[in-house]
Amino acid sequence: MDRTVARKEKKILFVANIAKEHILKFHMPTIRALKKNGWIVDVACFMDADIPDCDKCWPMEYKRNPISLSTFKGVAHLREILLAEDYDIVYCHTPTGSIVARMAVAELKRRPTVIYLAHGFHFYKGAPLKNWIFYFPIEKFLSRWTDFLITINQEDFDFAQKKRMYNKEIYKIPGMGVDTEKLGLEDDEECRKCTRSELGISQLDFVLVYVAELITNKNQDKLIDVIVKLYQKHENVKLLLVGPDHNNGIYKEYAVQRGVKDKVIFTGWRDDIGKLLHASDICVASSIREGFGLNLVEAMACGLPVVAFDNRGHREIVKNGENGFLVKSGDVDEMVSCIEYLMGEPYKRYSLNARESASYYDVNNVTRSIVKIIDNAYANNN
């Protein structure tokens, strides 16, 4: 009997690394939209936080490292789940989550449709050779179990089309979408004052902010170098680093070594990003590799111009001389010059342009695109 006759429910499984910093951060609007459209939505990931609105959560052992015993255990565990649950679609994310998902479906006699949203290939123009040696062959191999690919930047989209790695359709969407309601975009000066007071920031301080987990790829030591140089001319400058520390305090120690301990504020994980952005003046971004850069769009939606190191993800968002500046990766002096320029009279124009640019990435538009892709994938296979 055809399974669409046996049951009318449409079932989809989200597979990713972790709940708190991925599912909750990026996918709740899509989960809610799918539920509204009649889907049964389950999630499989490392459960470091509760996930509301989904029907069932499957706790997994793996986290971030694709080559570990927990990853291979995750493949076996997920295969058991897929055999028992009979999903129509597996929607996978992140390097480890996508590896586990596609290896799990590889030996199934009746496979669900696999949709992979690549948040930025680890192999890219200028990537270290080791990334190409390790990640590209894996992606090439797993592409045989990838029915639909969704990319979030032009470079990844062009590469996937050129290499013809995937079985069916390749899509490009404008990132994961910004939830403006969650950010609270009202221009509330009182909120700005209270948040600054809470953080120990003067109302006269000029605040740079970077919302990102503290890891080597995010390269926050370069921003500390930026503060060192800015502080020589501007005593009222501060740097706000917002995100969980996965680097064992290395950047905190570096700020002490560089003599700017009091100029750099480490907030750790925060769920009130909008308040922190409204309390800031410029968004800075130092990551070496980026698939998109949702944090930049969130900052622009709050009226913050952006100064960011040039990479494929930032290139999708920052328009030089309009809503901010792209500078050569690692070039501290150039970043300092751009920040000083924005500290002057041009700031208001760049702020208005940034806010206008962010509207293109509204979460409702992006969510509609994702749901349409999922619905079309289901229709084409049932």
Side-chain angles (χ1 to χ4, degrees), residues 170-232:
I170 303 172
Y171 300 92
K172 177 178 176 286
I173 61 173
M176 295 308 302
V178 174
D179 187 347
T180 55
E181 292 184 8
K182 183 178 178 181
L183 288 174
L185 298 186
E186 69 280 356
D187 188 13
D188 190 340
E189 281 298 321
E190 188 61 32
C191 175
R192 177 180 171 93
K193 290 178 182 179
C194 289
T195 304
R196 285 191 166 215
S197 178
E198 173 206 332
L199 295 169
I201 298 172
S202 164
Q203 303 305 317
L204 299 177
D205 284 338
F206 193 89
V207 180
L208 314 179
V209 63
Y210 187 34
V211 181
E213 56 188 341
L214 273 62
I215 56 175
T216 302
N217 177 61
K218 300 302 182 181
N219 213 17
Q220 281 96 339
D221 56 321
K222 294 297 183 183
L223 297 181
I224 294 171
D225 292 339
V226 166
I227 284 295
V228 170
K229 286 185 173 292
L230 283 171
Y231 183 45
Q232 295 172 4

Short mmCIF file of all heavy atoms in Angstrom, two decimals, residues 170-232:
data_model
loop_
_atom_site.label_atom_id
_atom_site.label_comp_id
_atom_site.label_asym_id
_atom_site.label_seq_id
_atom_site.Cartn_x
_atom_site.Cartn_y
_atom_site.Cartn_z
N ILE A 170 19.25 22.62 -7.06
CA ILE A 170 20.11 23.42 -6.20
C ILE A 170 19.48 24.80 -6.07
O ILE A 170 19.15 25.43 -7.07
CB ILE A 170 21.53 23.55 -6.79
CG1 ILE A 170 22.14 22.17 -7.01
CG2 ILE A 170 22.42 24.38 -5.86
CD1 ILE A 170 23.46 22.21 -7.77
N TYR A 171 19.29 25.25 -4.84
CA TYR A 171 18.64 26.53 -4.59
C TYR A 171 19.60 27.47 -3.86
O TYR A 171 20.54 27.03 -3.21
CB TYR A 171 17.39 26.34 -3.71
CG TYR A 171 16.33 25.45 -4.29
CD1 TYR A 171 16.31 24.08 -4.01
CD2 TYR A 171 15.33 25.96 -5.10
CE1 TYR A 171 15.33 23.25 -4.52
CE2 TYR A 171 14.33 25.14 -5.62
CZ TYR A 171 14.35 23.78 -5.33
OH TYR A 171 13.37 22.97 -5.83
N LYS A 172 19.30 28.75 -3.94
CA LYS A 172 20.01 29.76 -3.15
C LYS A 172 18.96 30.63 -2.47
O LYS A 172 18.04 31.13 -3.11
CB LYS A 172 20.91 30.63 -4.02
CG LYS A 172 21.63 31.76 -3.25
CD LYS A 172 22.54 32.55 -4.17
CE LYS A 172 23.19 33.73 -3.43
NZ LYS A 172 22.24 34.83 -3.18
N ILE A 173 19.09 30.78 -1.16
CA ILE A 173 18.19 31.64 -0.40
C ILE A 173 19.04 32.72 0.31
O ILE A 173 20.23 32.52 0.53
CB ILE A 173 17.37 30.85 0.64
CG1 ILE A 173 18.30 30.16 1.66
CG2 ILE A 173 16.47 29.83 -0.05
CD1 ILE A 173 17.58 29.51 2.81
N PRO A 174 18.42 33.84 0.67
CA PRO A 174 19.19 34.92 1.33
C PRO A 174 19.37 34.68 2.82
O PRO A 174 18.78 35.35 3.67
CB PRO A 174 18.34 36.17 1.05
CG PRO A 174 16.94 35.64 0.94
CD PRO A 174 17.07 34.28 0.31
N GLY A 175 20.20 33.71 3.15
CA GLY A 175 20.51 33.45 4.55
C GLY A 175 19.37 32.75 5.27
O GLY A 175 18.51 32.12 4.65
N MET A 176 19.36 32.85 6.60
CA MET A 176 18.35 32.19 7.40
C MET A 176 17.23 33.12 7.86
O MET A 176 16.30 32.71 8.53
CB MET A 176 19.00 31.54 8.64
CG MET A 176 19.97 30.42 8.29
SD MET A 176 19.26 29.16 7.20
CE MET A 176 17.87 28.62 8.16
N GLY A 177 17.33 34.38 7.52
CA GLY A 177 16.27 35.32 7.84
C GLY A 177 16.42 35.97 9.20
O GLY A 177 16.88 35.36 10.16
N VAL A 178 16.03 37.23 9.28
CA VAL A 178 16.11 38.01 10.52
C VAL A 178 14.71 38.24 11.05
O VAL A 178 13.84 38.74 10.35
CB VAL A 178 16.80 39.36 10.28
CG1 VAL A 178 16.73 40.22 11.54
CG2 VAL A 178 18.25 39.15 9.88
N ASP A 179 14.51 37.87 12.30
CA ASP A 179 13.23 38.07 12.97
C ASP A 179 13.25 39.44 13.64
O ASP A 179 13.76 39.61 14.75
CB ASP A 179 13.03 36.97 14.01
CG ASP A 179 11.63 37.01 14.63
OD1 ASP A 179 10.93 38.02 14.45
OD2 ASP A 179 11.26 36.04 15.30
N THR A 180 12.71 40.43 12.95
CA THR A 180 12.78 41.80 13.45
C THR A 180 11.97 41.98 14.73
O THR A 180 12.32 42.80 15.58
CB THR A 180 12.28 42.79 12.37
OG1 THR A 180 10.96 42.40 11.95
CG2 THR A 180 13.21 42.78 11.17
N GLU A 181 10.88 41.22 14.89
CA GLU A 181 10.09 41.32 16.11
C GLU A 181 10.89 40.85 17.32
O GLU A 181 10.81 41.43 18.40
CB GLU A 181 8.80 40.50 15.98
CG GLU A 181 7.82 41.05 14.96
CD GLU A 181 6.52 40.27 14.94
OE1 GLU A 181 6.34 39.40 15.82
OE2 GLU A 181 5.69 40.52 14.05
N LYS A 182 11.67 39.78 17.12
CA LYS A 182 12.50 39.26 18.21
C LYS A 182 13.57 40.26 18.62
O LYS A 182 13.93 40.39 19.79
CB LYS A 182 13.14 37.94 17.78
CG LYS A 182 13.97 37.26 18.85
CD LYS A 182 14.52 35.94 18.35
CE LYS A 182 15.38 35.27 19.41
NZ LYS A 182 15.96 33.99 18.93
N LEU A 183 14.10 40.99 17.64
CA LEU A 183 15.14 41.97 17.93
C LEU A 183 14.58 43.19 18.65
O LEU A 183 15.30 43.85 19.40
CB LEU A 183 15.83 42.42 16.63
CG LEU A 183 16.76 41.40 15.97
CD1 LEU A 183 17.23 41.93 14.62
CD2 LEU A 183 17.94 41.08 16.86
N GLY A 184 13.31 43.50 18.41
CA GLY A 184 12.73 44.69 19.02
C GLY A 184 13.31 45.95 18.40
O GLY A 184 14.17 46.59 19.00
N LEU A 185 12.86 46.29 17.21
CA LEU A 185 13.52 47.35 16.45
C LEU A 185 13.06 48.77 16.80
O LEU A 185 13.47 49.72 16.16
CB LEU A 185 13.31 47.10 14.95
CG LEU A 185 13.92 45.79 14.44
CD1 LEU A 185 13.79 45.71 12.94
CD2 LEU A 185 15.36 45.68 14.85
N GLU A 186 12.19 48.90 17.80
CA GLU A 186 11.82 50.26 18.19
C GLU A 186 13.05 50.99 18.72
O GLU A 186 13.88 50.42 19.41
CB GLU A 186 10.72 50.24 19.26
CG GLU A 186 11.15 49.71 20.61
CD GLU A 186 11.21 48.20 20.69
OE1 GLU A 186 10.84 47.55 19.70
OE2 GLU A 186 11.63 47.69 21.74
N ASP A 187 13.16 52.25 18.36
CA ASP A 187 14.34 53.03 18.77
C ASP A 187 14.13 53.52 20.20
O ASP A 187 13.68 54.62 20.44
CB ASP A 187 14.54 54.19 17.79
CG ASP A 187 15.85 54.92 18.05
OD1 ASP A 187 16.69 54.38 18.80
OD2 ASP A 187 16.03 56.01 17.51
N ASP A 188 14.46 52.69 21.15
CA ASP A 188 14.16 52.96 22.55
C ASP A 188 15.43 53.44 23.25
O ASP A 188 16.29 52.65 23.64
CB ASP A 188 13.63 51.69 23.21
CG ASP A 188 13.06 51.94 24.60
OD1 ASP A 188 13.40 52.97 25.21
OD2 ASP A 188 12.29 51.09 25.07
N GLU A 189 15.55 54.72 23.43
CA GLU A 189 16.73 55.30 24.07
C GLU A 189 16.86 54.84 25.53
O GLU A 189 17.96 54.67 26.05
CB GLU A 189 16.69 56.82 24.00
CG GLU A 189 17.10 57.39 22.65
CD GLU A 189 18.54 57.04 22.29
OE1 GLU A 189 19.41 57.05 23.19
OE2 GLU A 189 18.79 56.74 21.12
N GLU A 190 15.73 54.65 26.19
CA GLU A 190 15.77 54.22 27.58
C GLU A 190 16.36 52.81 27.69
O GLU A 190 17.14 52.51 28.60
CB GLU A 190 14.36 54.25 28.18
CG GLU A 190 14.32 53.99 29.68
CD GLU A 190 15.11 55.02 30.47
OE1 GLU A 190 15.16 56.19 30.05
OE2 GLU A 190 15.67 54.63 31.52
N CYS A 191 15.97 51.96 26.73
CA CYS A 191 16.52 50.60 26.69
C CYS A 191 18.02 50.64 26.46
O CYS A 191 18.79 49.89 27.09
CB CYS A 191 15.84 49.79 25.59
SG CYS A 191 16.52 48.14 25.34
N ARG A 192 18.46 51.51 25.57
CA ARG A 192 19.88 51.67 25.29
C ARG A 192 20.65 52.09 26.56
O ARG A 192 21.69 51.53 26.88
CB ARG A 192 20.07 52.71 24.18
CG ARG A 192 21.53 53.02 23.82
CD ARG A 192 21.55 54.08 22.71
NE ARG A 192 22.88 54.60 22.45
CZ ARG A 192 23.72 54.12 21.52
NH1 ARG A 192 23.37 53.07 20.80
NH2 ARG A 192 24.90 54.67 21.34
N LYS A 193 20.08 53.03 27.28
CA LYS A 193 20.73 53.51 28.49
C LYS A 193 20.80 52.41 29.55
O LYS A 193 21.84 52.23 30.19
CB LYS A 193 19.97 54.71 29.04
CG LYS A 193 20.09 55.98 28.20
CD LYS A 193 19.26 57.10 28.80
CE LYS A 193 19.34 58.36 27.94
NZ LYS A 193 18.50 59.46 28.51
N CYS A 194 19.70 51.69 29.72
CA CYS A 194 19.66 50.63 30.75
C CYS A 194 20.64 49.51 30.42
O CYS A 194 21.33 49.00 31.31
CB CYS A 194 18.25 50.08 30.88
SG CYS A 194 17.07 51.21 31.64
N THR A 195 20.68 49.13 29.15
CA THR A 195 21.57 48.03 28.75
C THR A 195 23.02 48.43 28.92
O THR A 195 23.85 47.65 29.42
CB THR A 195 21.31 47.63 27.28
OG1 THR A 195 19.93 47.30 27.12
CG2 THR A 195 22.17 46.44 26.89
N ARG A 196 23.36 49.66 28.56
CA ARG A 196 24.73 50.14 28.75
C ARG A 196 25.09 50.19 30.23
O ARG A 196 26.20 49.83 30.62
CB ARG A 196 24.90 51.52 28.11
CG ARG A 196 24.99 51.48 26.59
CD ARG A 196 25.42 52.80 26.01
NE ARG A 196 25.82 52.64 24.60
CZ ARG A 196 26.79 53.32 24.03
NH1 ARG A 196 27.48 54.21 24.74
NH2 ARG A 196 27.10 53.13 22.76
N SER A 197 24.15 50.62 31.03
CA SER A 197 24.40 50.69 32.47
C SER A 197 24.65 49.29 33.03
O SER A 197 25.57 49.09 33.84
CB SER A 197 23.20 51.33 33.17
OG SER A 197 23.39 51.36 34.57
N GLU A 198 23.87 48.33 32.58
CA GLU A 198 24.04 46.94 33.02
C GLU A 198 25.42 46.40 32.67
O GLU A 198 26.05 45.67 33.46
CB GLU A 198 22.96 46.07 32.37
CG GLU A 198 23.14 44.57 32.62
CD GLU A 198 22.53 43.72 31.52
OE1 GLU A 198 21.55 44.18 30.89
OE2 GLU A 198 23.03 42.60 31.29
N LEU A 199 25.91 46.78 31.50
CA LEU A 199 27.20 46.28 31.01
C LEU A 199 28.39 47.10 31.49
O LEU A 199 29.53 46.76 31.21
CB LEU A 199 27.19 46.26 29.48
CG LEU A 199 26.19 45.30 28.82
CD1 LEU A 199 26.10 45.57 27.32
CD2 LEU A 199 26.58 43.86 29.08
N GLY A 200 28.12 48.19 32.21
CA GLY A 200 29.20 49.05 32.67
C GLY A 200 29.77 49.92 31.58
O GLY A 200 30.96 50.29 31.60
N ILE A 201 28.93 50.29 30.62
CA ILE A 201 29.35 51.12 29.49
C ILE A 201 28.78 52.52 29.67
O ILE A 201 27.59 52.69 29.93
CB ILE A 201 28.85 50.52 28.15
CG1 ILE A 201 29.45 49.14 27.93
CG2 ILE A 201 29.19 51.45 26.98
CD1 ILE A 201 28.87 48.42 26.73
N SER A 202 29.62 53.52 29.51
CA SER A 202 29.18 54.91 29.63
C SER A 202 28.29 55.27 28.45
O SER A 202 28.41 54.73 27.35
CB SER A 202 30.40 55.83 29.67
OG SER A 202 30.03 57.17 29.40
N GLN A 203 27.39 56.23 28.69
CA GLN A 203 26.52 56.71 27.60
C GLN A 203 27.33 57.45 26.54
O GLN A 203 26.87 57.64 25.41
CB GLN A 203 25.44 57.62 28.17
CG GLN A 203 24.58 56.98 29.24
CD GLN A 203 23.93 55.67 28.81
OE1 GLN A 203 23.44 55.57 27.70
NE2 GLN A 203 23.94 54.68 29.69
N LEU A 204 28.55 57.85 26.87
CA LEU A 204 29.41 58.57 25.92
C LEU A 204 30.35 57.62 25.16
O LEU A 204 31.03 58.05 24.23
CB LEU A 204 30.23 59.63 26.66
CG LEU A 204 29.42 60.72 27.37
CD1 LEU A 204 30.37 61.66 28.11
CD2 LEU A 204 28.56 61.49 26.39
N ASP A 205 30.40 56.37 25.55
CA ASP A 205 31.29 55.41 24.88
C ASP A 205 30.82 55.11 23.46
O ASP A 205 29.61 55.13 23.17
CB ASP A 205 31.36 54.10 25.67
CG ASP A 205 32.23 54.22 26.91
OD1 ASP A 205 33.08 55.13 26.95
OD2 ASP A 205 32.05 53.41 27.84
N PHE A 206 31.79 54.83 22.59
CA PHE A 206 31.48 54.39 21.23
C PHE A 206 31.73 52.88 21.21
O PHE A 206 32.85 52.42 21.42
CB PHE A 206 32.37 55.10 20.20
CG PHE A 206 31.89 54.93 18.79
CD1 PHE A 206 30.98 55.82 18.24
CD2 PHE A 206 32.33 53.86 18.01
CE1 PHE A 206 30.52 55.67 16.94
CE2 PHE A 206 31.88 53.71 16.72
CZ PHE A 206 30.97 54.61 16.17
N VAL A 207 30.66 52.11 20.95
CA VAL A 207 30.70 50.67 21.17
C VAL A 207 30.70 49.88 19.86
O VAL A 207 29.80 50.04 19.02
CB VAL A 207 29.52 50.22 22.04
CG1 VAL A 207 29.56 48.71 22.27
CG2 VAL A 207 29.53 50.96 23.38
N LEU A 208 31.70 49.02 19.72
CA LEU A 208 31.75 48.05 18.63
C LEU A 208 31.22 46.72 19.15
O LEU A 208 31.48 46.36 20.30
CB LEU A 208 33.19 47.85 18.14
CG LEU A 208 34.04 49.10 17.91
CD1 LEU A 208 35.44 48.70 17.46
CD2 LEU A 208 33.39 50.02 16.89
N VAL A 209 30.48 46.00 18.33
CA VAL A 209 29.89 44.75 18.79
C VAL A 209 30.09 43.64 17.75
O VAL A 209 30.05 43.90 16.55
CB VAL A 209 28.38 44.91 19.09
CG1 VAL A 209 27.59 45.28 17.82
CG2 VAL A 209 27.80 43.65 19.72
N TYR A 210 30.36 42.44 18.24
CA TYR A 210 30.44 41.26 17.38
C TYR A 210 29.72 40.13 18.10
O TYR A 210 30.11 39.72 19.19
CB TYR A 210 31.89 40.88 17.13
CG TYR A 210 32.10 39.76 16.12
CD1 TYR A 210 31.25 39.61 15.03
CD2 TYR A 210 33.14 38.86 16.26
CE1 TYR A 210 31.46 38.61 14.09
CE2 TYR A 210 33.36 37.84 15.33
CZ TYR A 210 32.51 37.73 14.25
OH TYR A 210 32.70 36.72 13.32
N VAL A 211 28.64 39.65 17.49
CA VAL A 211 27.86 38.55 18.05
C VAL A 211 28.29 37.25 17.37
O VAL A 211 27.95 37.01 16.22
CB VAL A 211 26.35 38.78 17.86
CG1 VAL A 211 25.56 37.62 18.47
CG2 VAL A 211 25.92 40.10 18.48
N ALA A 212 29.05 36.44 18.08
CA ALA A 212 29.56 35.19 17.51
C ALA A 212 30.19 34.36 18.62
O ALA A 212 30.77 34.90 19.56
CB ALA A 212 30.60 35.46 16.42
N GLU A 213 30.09 33.05 18.49
CA GLU A 213 30.75 32.18 19.45
C GLU A 213 32.25 32.43 19.41
O GLU A 213 32.81 32.77 18.36
CB GLU A 213 30.45 30.72 19.13
CG GLU A 213 30.84 30.31 17.72
CD GLU A 213 30.35 28.92 17.36
OE1 GLU A 213 30.04 28.13 18.27
OE2 GLU A 213 30.28 28.62 16.15
N LEU A 214 32.91 32.29 20.54
CA LEU A 214 34.35 32.52 20.61
C LEU A 214 35.08 31.24 20.20
O LEU A 214 35.21 30.30 20.99
CB LEU A 214 34.76 32.93 22.03
CG LEU A 214 34.67 34.44 22.33
CD1 LEU A 214 33.24 34.95 22.22
CD2 LEU A 214 35.21 34.73 23.74
N ILE A 215 35.49 31.22 18.94
CA ILE A 215 36.25 30.09 18.38
C ILE A 215 37.31 30.66 17.46
O ILE A 215 37.27 31.83 17.08
CB ILE A 215 35.34 29.10 17.61
CG1 ILE A 215 34.58 29.83 16.49
CG2 ILE A 215 34.38 28.39 18.54
CD1 ILE A 215 33.76 28.91 15.60
N THR A 216 38.25 29.81 17.05
CA THR A 216 39.36 30.26 16.22
C THR A 216 38.90 30.88 14.92
O THR A 216 39.42 31.91 14.47
CB THR A 216 40.32 29.09 15.93
OG1 THR A 216 40.79 28.56 17.18
CG2 THR A 216 41.51 29.56 15.11
N ASN A 217 37.90 30.29 14.27
CA ASN A 217 37.44 30.80 12.97
C ASN A 217 36.88 32.21 13.08
O ASN A 217 36.99 33.00 12.14
CB ASN A 217 36.37 29.88 12.38
CG ASN A 217 35.80 30.42 11.08
OD1 ASN A 217 36.52 30.61 10.10
ND2 ASN A 217 34.51 30.69 11.06
N LYS A 218 36.28 32.55 14.23
CA LYS A 218 35.70 33.89 14.37
C LYS A 218 36.77 34.94 14.62
O LYS A 218 36.49 36.14 14.50
CB LYS A 218 34.67 33.90 15.51
CG LYS A 218 33.50 32.94 15.29
CD LYS A 218 32.75 33.19 14.00
CE LYS A 218 31.59 32.23 13.87
NZ LYS A 218 30.82 32.41 12.61
N ASN A 219 37.98 34.52 15.02
CA ASN A 219 39.15 35.40 14.91
C ASN A 219 39.07 36.65 15.77
O ASN A 219 39.57 37.72 15.40
CB ASN A 219 39.25 35.81 13.42
CG ASN A 219 40.66 36.00 12.93
OD1 ASN A 219 41.60 35.55 13.56
ND2 ASN A 219 40.78 36.67 11.80
N GLN A 220 38.44 36.54 16.95
CA GLN A 220 38.20 37.73 17.77
C GLN A 220 39.48 38.41 18.25
O GLN A 220 39.44 39.59 18.65
CB GLN A 220 37.32 37.38 18.98
CG GLN A 220 35.83 37.27 18.66
CD GLN A 220 35.38 35.85 18.41
OE1 GLN A 220 36.19 34.98 18.09
NE2 GLN A 220 34.09 35.59 18.55
N ASP A 221 40.61 37.72 18.21
CA ASP A 221 41.86 38.38 18.62
C ASP A 221 42.18 39.58 17.74
O ASP A 221 42.78 40.56 18.19
CB ASP A 221 43.02 37.38 18.63
CG ASP A 221 43.23 36.69 17.30
OD1 ASP A 221 42.23 36.35 16.64
OD2 ASP A 221 44.39 36.47 16.92
N LYS A 222 41.76 39.52 16.46
CA LYS A 222 41.99 40.66 15.57
C LYS A 222 41.18 41.87 16.00
O LYS A 222 41.63 43.02 15.85
CB LYS A 222 41.63 40.27 14.13
CG LYS A 222 42.55 39.22 13.52
CD LYS A 222 43.97 39.71 13.42
CE LYS A 222 44.87 38.69 12.75
NZ LYS A 222 46.29 39.12 12.72
N LEU A 223 40.00 41.64 16.54
CA LEU A 223 39.18 42.76 17.02
C LEU A 223 39.79 43.37 18.28
O LEU A 223 39.69 44.59 18.50
CB LEU A 223 37.75 42.29 17.29
CG LEU A 223 36.98 41.77 16.07
CD1 LEU A 223 35.57 41.35 16.47
CD2 LEU A 223 36.94 42.82 14.96
N ILE A 224 40.42 42.55 19.08
CA ILE A 224 41.12 43.07 20.25
C ILE A 224 42.30 43.94 19.80
O ILE A 224 42.57 45.00 20.37
CB ILE A 224 41.58 41.91 21.16
CG1 ILE A 224 40.36 41.19 21.75
CG2 ILE A 224 42.49 42.41 22.28
CD1 ILE A 224 40.66 39.91 22.48
N ASP A 225 42.98 43.51 18.72
CA ASP A 225 44.05 44.34 18.15
C ASP A 225 43.51 45.67 17.64
O ASP A 225 44.16 46.71 17.75
CB ASP A 225 44.74 43.59 17.00
CG ASP A 225 45.54 42.38 17.47
OD1 ASP A 225 45.90 42.33 18.66
OD2 ASP A 225 45.80 41.49 16.64
N VAL A 226 42.30 45.63 17.07
CA VAL A 226 41.65 46.85 16.58
C VAL A 226 41.41 47.83 17.74
O VAL A 226 41.69 49.03 17.64
CB VAL A 226 40.31 46.51 15.88
CG1 VAL A 226 39.46 47.77 15.68
CG2 VAL A 226 40.59 45.85 14.53
N ILE A 227 40.92 47.30 18.85
CA ILE A 227 40.66 48.15 20.03
C ILE A 227 41.95 48.76 20.56
O ILE A 227 41.99 49.93 20.98
CB ILE A 227 39.95 47.32 21.12
CG1 ILE A 227 38.49 47.12 20.75
CG2 ILE A 227 40.05 48.00 22.48
CD1 ILE A 227 37.67 48.40 20.71
N VAL A 228 43.03 47.99 20.54
CA VAL A 228 44.32 48.50 21.00
C VAL A 228 44.71 49.74 20.20
O VAL A 228 45.13 50.76 20.76
CB VAL A 228 45.41 47.42 20.88
CG1 VAL A 228 46.79 48.02 21.14
CG2 VAL A 228 45.15 46.28 21.86
N LYS A 229 44.54 49.67 18.88
CA LYS A 229 44.91 50.81 18.03
C LYS A 229 43.94 51.98 18.18
O LYS A 229 44.35 53.14 18.22
CB LYS A 229 44.99 50.35 16.57
CG LYS A 229 46.22 49.50 16.27
CD LYS A 229 46.30 49.17 14.78
CE LYS A 229 47.61 48.47 14.46
NZ LYS A 229 48.80 49.36 14.61
N LEU A 230 42.64 51.67 18.26
CA LEU A 230 41.66 52.74 18.40
C LEU A 230 41.83 53.48 19.71
O LEU A 230 41.68 54.71 19.79
CB LEU A 230 40.24 52.17 18.31
CG LEU A 230 39.72 51.81 16.93
CD1 LEU A 230 38.40 51.06 17.03
CD2 LEU A 230 39.53 53.07 16.07
N TYR A 231 42.17 52.75 20.77
CA TYR A 231 42.29 53.32 22.10
C TYR A 231 43.40 54.38 22.19
O TYR A 231 43.36 55.28 23.03
CB TYR A 231 42.54 52.20 23.11
CG TYR A 231 42.62 52.66 24.55
CD1 TYR A 231 41.68 53.56 25.07
CD2 TYR A 231 43.61 52.18 25.39
CE1 TYR A 231 41.74 53.97 26.39
CE2 TYR A 231 43.68 52.59 26.71
CZ TYR A 231 42.76 53.48 27.20
OH TYR A 231 42.82 53.89 28.51
N GLN A 232 44.34 54.29 21.27
CA GLN A 232 45.44 55.27 21.26
C GLN A 232 44.92 56.67 20.93
O GLN A 232 45.51 57.67 21.35
CB GLN A 232 46.50 54.84 20.25
CG GLN A 232 47.20 53.54 20.61
CD GLN A 232 48.12 53.04 19.50
OE1 GLN A 232 48.30 53.70 18.47
NE2 GLN A 232 48.70 51.86 19.69
#
